[in-house]
Amino acid sequence: MKQSVKLIAGNWKMHGLSSALSEAQALKDAVAASQPACRVALCPPATLTDRMSRTLSGGGVELGGQDCHEKVTGAFTGSVSAEMLADAGATLVILGHSERRAAYGETDADIAAKVEAAIAAGLEPIICVGETLEQREAGEAVAVVSAQVAGSLPDGLSERDFAVAYEPVWAIGTGLTPTLEQIAEVHAAVRAAMVKRLGETARPAPILYGGSVKPDNAAEILATAEVGGALVGGASLKAEDFLKIVNAA
Ligand code: PGA
């Protein structure tokens, strides 16, 4: 279980053509020069995985996918399997992002099946959880997130490297962030739910925060109790911005 260093992962979502590989190259060069204390990863769209793995090869930036199918192969038009991501050079995969839960109706059980597929392919899953604004305003944030952790983490995960990302839905792409106290409260609840679900061996797994992490708020968020890294959307698209977050870890 990797635990001692923070993980800063960039989620490019549906952004990035060939020309964006120059940002990955710039990040690789900057990471080589600054030797940050944290792990750094980029999760580009599936179409860039193979080429980005060549760009990043031999450097200090890891590569991830943004989703995978739960099956290895089959008649699933448009889908990408965990094995395919691994074959293209990925070592991580984001699963259960709230955009997939909302837009594609992914349930906790779907996500747990994908996590099992990722593990079988040797990928390190980053499993996302987070409450909506409505749920937070109803005082349900901790209960919702705890239930998502209980339902999305399959048996046997504790023996493997994985991370959970707490991403309040209302903070994603909005410029809004929870208070540091709210982040600490939910991260503590995620830790407790993880240990309850998988046992003490799961305790060291890092819990990333995601949702409007920017160069100017990264340091305080990353210094908050139980925050083991960040999942960064918009601010990961430009190497210059992302590097400032990496250097804040
Ligand atoms: P954001 O996205 O940093 O653009 O808010 C985070 C995410 O969705 O992972």
Side-chain angles (χ1 to χ4, degrees), residues 11 13 94 97-99 128 167 171-175 210-214 231-236:
N11 172 13
K13 309 189 180 185
I94 299 168
H97 191 282
S98 64
E99 287 155 13
C128 303
E167 299 202 299
I172 294 175
T174 59
S212 296
V213 176
K214 305 289 177 202
L231 185 54
V232 183
S236 71

Side-chain angles (χ1 to χ4, degrees), residues 9-218:
N11 172 13
W12 278 14
K13 309 189 180 185
M14 200 172 73
H15 300 284
L17 303 175
S18 309
S19 55
L21 290 169
S22 61
E23 295 296 333
Q25 181 69 51
L27 183 69
K28 178 188 180 186
D29 294 345
V31 162
S34 69
Q35 298 280 322
C38 58
R39 295 170 64 200
V40 184
L42 282 180
C43 303
T47 47
L48 286 184
T49 313
D50 176 59
R51 276 175 296 163
M52 196 179 282
S53 88
R54 293 163 209 245
T55 302
L56 297 178
S57 173
V61 181
E62 300 171 45
L63 180 65
Q66 300 176 7
D67 176 47
C68 70
H69 197 277
E70 68 186 69
K71 296 275 176 13
V72 179
T73 54
F76 302 105
T77 301
S79 294
V80 171
S81 73
E83 190 180 44
M84 290 168 182
L85 287 173
D87 184 51
T91 55
L92 301 125
V93 63
I94 299 168
L95 292 171
H97 191 282
S98 64
E99 287 155 13
R100 295 207 59 90
R101 289 178 186 262
Y104 303 94
E106 291 188 9
T107 64
D108 290 341
D110 295 332
I111 294 153
K114 290 179 178 211
V115 172
E116 287 189 321
I119 294 283
L123 298 178
E124 181 178 340
I126 301 172
I127 305 153
C128 303
V129 297
E131 84 285 358
T132 63
L133 186 58
E134 202 181 20
Q135 290 164 333
R136 174 154 290 274
E137 286 176 344
E140 295 166 3
V142 162
V144 166
V145 167
S146 301
Q148 288 174 331
V149 169
S152 306
L153 275 47
D155 292 343
L157 187 59
S158 59
E159 310 302 322
R160 315 298 290 253
D161 290 326
F162 73 97
V164 172
Y166 167 54
E167 299 202 299
V169 177
W170 51 274
I172 294 175
T174 59
L176 302 172
T177 51
T179 65
L180 300 179
E181 290 70 26
Q182 288 170 328
I183 293 174
E185 180 194 23
V186 179
H187 277 235
V190 168
R191 177 85 56 211
M194 249 164 52
V195 171
K196 188 171 175 206
R197 171 73 187 93
L198 297 171
E200 280 297 326
T201 44
R203 188 176 290 281
I207 304 169
L208 317 186
Y209 169 79
S212 296
V213 176
K214 305 289 177 202
D216 61 357
N217 64 14

